[in-house]
Amino acid sequence: MSRPGQPERSATYAEVFAVAEFRWSWLALVGSVIGDQLARVALAVLVFDRTGSAGLSALTYALTMLPDVVSGPLLGGLADRFPRRRIMVSCDAARAGLVALMAIPGTPLWILCVLLVAVQLLAAPFQSARTAFLATLMSGDTYRAAVGLSTVTVQAAQLAGFVAGGTIVALLGSSQALALNALSFAVSAVLLRFGVQERPVPLGDDPTARLSWWGSLVAGARLVWHNRRLRYLLALICVPGFYITVEGLATPYAASVGGGPIAAGILFAANPAGQVIGILAASRIPPARRMAMMGPLAIGTCAVLIGCVFQPGLWVTVGLWMLSGMCACFMPLAQATFVQEIPDAQRGQVIGLARTALVVTQGMGILIAGAAADHWKPAIVVAVAGALGVIYAAGAARGYRRAEV
């Protein structure tokens, strides 16, 4: 802890891990993320094997993301109405059961899709409850460090899940891989049940008032819209909608520079690897300076992509995309600051809305970039997205800076 009158010092990851409840929730996060990625690979392979259609295989993968658009605003508020540990445990237990049904050999394709949508619908209330729970468990830079560590963990676990996914599916088969995903959710539920304390439902300014579902949604949207700090923080959180184009165009970009699947894989890994490096490096910077760097980093994560306009070779592109990822270390800080600004009684609902905004902007970024790449070179599309992102991020950063005055 910093002494009164002294600048807040940077929290360490050792201090974060010293919190027992965080350790249990972190272990649950690792298992469930790896299981999720494994299931995505298994489902894509399963659908392709049955139908021989690349389009249906891609659609199945998209179904793992699309439900977030609906479930964020509709179900995120559950974390404000029920104890948050109960929400997390219930969501994990339900997902374990649904994925176990998906693992039954011979399950019709349409039933698999329905079960998949149901599984993903439960992701929003779980994430809203987990994020709000961590903000209650920790404060100050310790919470920001916890968010950064969680982001690093998700990036690493996703990469491990994708790498291991293909091997496991090849060795065991899709049904067995899905069964492992079901087991990961069950283990996560047990870890959270016995490792996290039950806490009462957070109360607002008026403990006797209980907003309706629609009233809660509207109140959450109004809170963000009428609070300039929250509004511009959310704008910064949506900056990935521009630099996400590097993920959507990795494969055609690799082909344009004469590379194949290996080159595409390297490009896919460049941005996430940069994020891990950036987050770990930023954790050593004093909190006040880190906050001041948030806007410039948001601009920088898009600005370096403009260099793709010169259509450099593979390794220069990898360097640019990795540097973009390093600048993206502003994201955990923006997300943590956003959550800390929200009254505890409304965190679940507002986090759900922010999650939807991020998913929608990322989805639009990938779709628009993909369509544009049918007419222009991928390098040009990435550069244009970077230029537009600079304009957007500069406006968001300027608005947030003015809101702090």
Side-chain angles (χ1 to χ4, degrees):
M1 297 291 292
S2 300
R3 295 179 181 178
Q6 289 185 336
E8 184 182 11
R9 69 172 181 82
S10 299
T12 66
Y13 291 145
E15 291 172 332
V16 174
F17 273 118
V19 181
E21 288 183 271
F22 177 82
R23 291 198 302 271
W24 289 107
S25 68
W26 180 82
L27 287 172
L29 176 68
V30 172
S32 61
V33 172
I34 292 177
D36 273 349
Q37 302 309 108
L38 175 60
R40 285 189 169 112
V41 174
L43 279 171
V45 171
L46 179 63
V47 172
F48 185 75
D49 285 345
R50 286 195 189 179
T51 66
S53 170
L56 286 176
S57 180
L59 177 61
T60 303
Y61 188 89
L63 285 176
T64 64
M65 302 179 181
L66 291 177
D68 284 333
V69 176
V70 176
S71 59
L74 298 186
L75 302 180
L78 292 174
D80 299 329
R81 295 177 175 273
F82 301 96
R84 285 160 181 166
R85 185 189 72 172
R86 190 182 307 171
I87 290 292
M88 291 188 287
V89 172
S90 298
C91 286
D92 268 347
R95 290 190 287 185
L98 291 168
V99 176
L101 292 175
M102 294 168 64
I104 298 174
T107 302
L109 184 58
W110 71 269
I111 293 180
L112 283 176
C113 291
V114 171
L115 291 172
L116 178 59
V117 170
V119 168
Q120 290 305 123
L121 285 173
L122 293 170
F126 177 89
Q127 291 296 340
S128 293
R130 184 181 186 278
T131 304
F133 149 72
L134 286 180
T136 303
L137 182 66
M138 304 176 191
S139 61
D141 199 55
T142 306
Y143 173 68
R144 299 183 204 115
V147 173
L149 182 57
S150 296
T151 302
V152 169
T153 301
V154 168
Q155 295 285 1
Q158 284 180 340
L159 182 59
F162 275 132
V163 171
T167 303
I168 292 174
V169 172
L171 292 175
L172 302 180
S174 297
S175 293
Q176 288 77 7
L178 287 170
L180 288 177
N181 183 216
L183 179 62
S184 74
F185 281 129
V187 171
S188 177
V190 172
L191 290 173
L192 292 170
R193 171 63 180 79
F194 294 103
V196 173
Q197 295 181 12
E198 185 77 81
R199 291 174 172 79
V201 178
L203 300 176
D205 295 334
D206 184 0
T208 63
R210 172 68 74 173
L211 293 175
S212 65
W213 166 82
W214 177 253
S216 175
L217 195 159
V218 171
R222 284 177 175 170
L223 174 65
V224 176
W225 183 252
H226 292 296
N227 185 313
R228 291 183 64 201
R229 282 173 58 86
L230 286 176
R231 190 164 73 242
Y232 286 110
L233 276 170
L234 182 56
L236 285 171
I237 290 170
C238 290
V239 169
F242 294 92
Y243 66 76
I244 193 67
T245 53
V246 300
E247 292 187 20
L249 298 179
T251 300
Y253 199 114
S256 72
V257 295
I262 294 177
I266 294 172
L267 287 172
F268 268 118
N271 189 273
Q275 287 189 47
V276 171
I277 295 170
I279 292 169
L280 293 177
S283 67
R284 298 181 175 275
I285 299 174
R289 186 179 174 191
R290 217 183 308 145
M291 292 291 290
M293 292 171 60
M294 190 161 57
L297 285 171
I299 297 170
T301 197
C302 296
V304 296
L305 297 179
I306 299 176
C308 292
V309 73
F310 300 108
Q311 303 180 51
L314 174 63
W315 293 111
V316 173
T317 301
V318 168
L320 290 172
W321 292 14
M322 184 174 286
L323 183 57
S324 174
M326 291 175 65
C327 291
C329 67
F330 82 91
M331 274 293 288
L333 179 58
Q335 291 168 330
T337 306
F338 180 80
V339 171
Q340 288 175 318
E341 294 276 336
I342 306 167
D344 190 28
Q346 291 182 273
R347 276 181 177 149
Q349 182 65 72
V350 177
I351 290 168
L353 290 169
R355 178 183 171 89
T356 297
L358 177 58
V359 170
V360 169
T361 51
Q362 287 181 317
M364 289 178 60
I366 290 175
L367 287 174
I368 294 172
D374 286 335
H375 302 281
W376 296 283
K377 292 182 178 181
I380 301 300
V381 175
V382 170
V384 171
L388 294 175
V390 167
I391 297 171
Y392 173 86
R398 182 183 180 188
Y400 179 69
R401 187 172 63 250
R402 288 184 170 184
E404 286 191 299
V405 176

